[in-house]
Amino acid sequence: MKFAEFSEKLMGMSPDVWDRHANKWSGWSRVSTLPLIALAVWSRIYIDAWAVVPLALALLWLWINPRLFSAPDDTNNWMTKGVFGERVWLNRKERPIPSHHVKAGFILNALSGLAAIPYIYGLIWLDAWATVLGTLLIMLTKLWFLDRMVWLYEDMSPRFADYAAWMKVKN
């Protein structure tokens, strides 16, 4: 099983949860997760082994966030289209996507993986510069990937009625 499929199963991303996660507030508030995890790990300086509590809360936030928001009435915004694009990306085995999107997606995910090196190093050795650098690079590549997912969704939705049906515009 690939990492993305494993993550989706671990997160319990049912169609209802995906609909809720498409709320732009879910997407934007979820951006806070990586810094929250870093702060939780760094809290071990002050609270020692009790740092597992804020770490568990940060991980709980990651899981609960897509469930906190209602499905949006209006999906015509960048963040929501990015979430739609992620769904299209994860469905690429059943419905192949254009090769330029596959290549870009894999490159951006690889860059994000490389950015995890200073992040993890910084968390282990409590190196502030490495933690901040890793956090910024991971977030930059994730947002760039999300931007690519907007493009992917906009390319694929005219070709598939079920993808196009995700789009709702409030009058």
Side-chain angles (χ1 to χ4, degrees):
M1 180 180 295
K2 300 261 187 235
F3 180 74
E5 293 164 347
F6 173 75
S7 297
E8 185 180 21
K9 286 191 187 307
L10 183 66
M11 291 295 297
M13 296 300 286
S14 67
D16 177 61
V17 175
W18 273 111
D19 288 345
R20 291 168 161 272
H21 186 41
N23 187 312
K24 64 184 172 191
W25 298 110
S26 173
W28 283 116
S29 63
R30 196 173 164 121
V31 171
S32 68
T33 305
L34 198 62
L36 287 175
I37 291 171
L39 287 172
V41 172
W42 272 75
S43 75
R44 75 183 195 261
I45 295 171
Y46 303 106
I47 59 177
D48 200 35
W50 286 100
V52 298
V53 173
L55 180 59
L57 290 172
L59 294 174
L60 178 62
W61 171 247
L62 184 66
W63 184 86
I64 202 167
N65 173 282
R67 293 157 177 81
L68 286 177
F69 300 88
S70 61
D73 294 331
D74 189 340
T75 59
N76 192 21
N77 64 78
W78 183 86
M79 180 56 78
T80 298
K81 288 179 185 179
V83 171
F84 290 164
E86 286 179 319
R87 289 180 76 179
V88 172
W89 171 263
L90 290 170
N91 195 38
R92 67 189 180 277
K93 283 185 183 174
E94 286 74 32
R95 291 193 186 150
I97 62 176
S99 62
H100 60 282
H101 290 302
V102 174
K103 183 177 179 181
F106 283 130
I107 289 170
L108 290 168
N109 282 325
L111 290 173
S112 185
L114 288 173
I117 295 169
Y119 180 75
I120 293 167
Y121 174 89
L123 295 179
I124 292 170
W125 298 108
L126 297 174
D127 182 321
W129 288 107
T131 303
V132 170
L133 175 66
T135 300
L136 291 174
L137 290 174
I138 292 169
M139 291 175 77
L140 173 70
T141 54
K142 175 60 179 173
L143 290 172
W144 192 355
F145 177 80
L146 202 57
D147 189 60
R148 191 65 188 219
M149 295 300 99
V150 172
W151 182 3
L152 172 61
Y153 175 71
E154 289 177 343
D155 279 357
M156 296 293 286
S157 61
R159 297 174 45 200
F160 297 99
D162 54 335
Y163 291 167
W166 296 341
M167 183 59 64
K168 297 178 227 160
V169 180
K170 193 173 184 179
N171 294 330

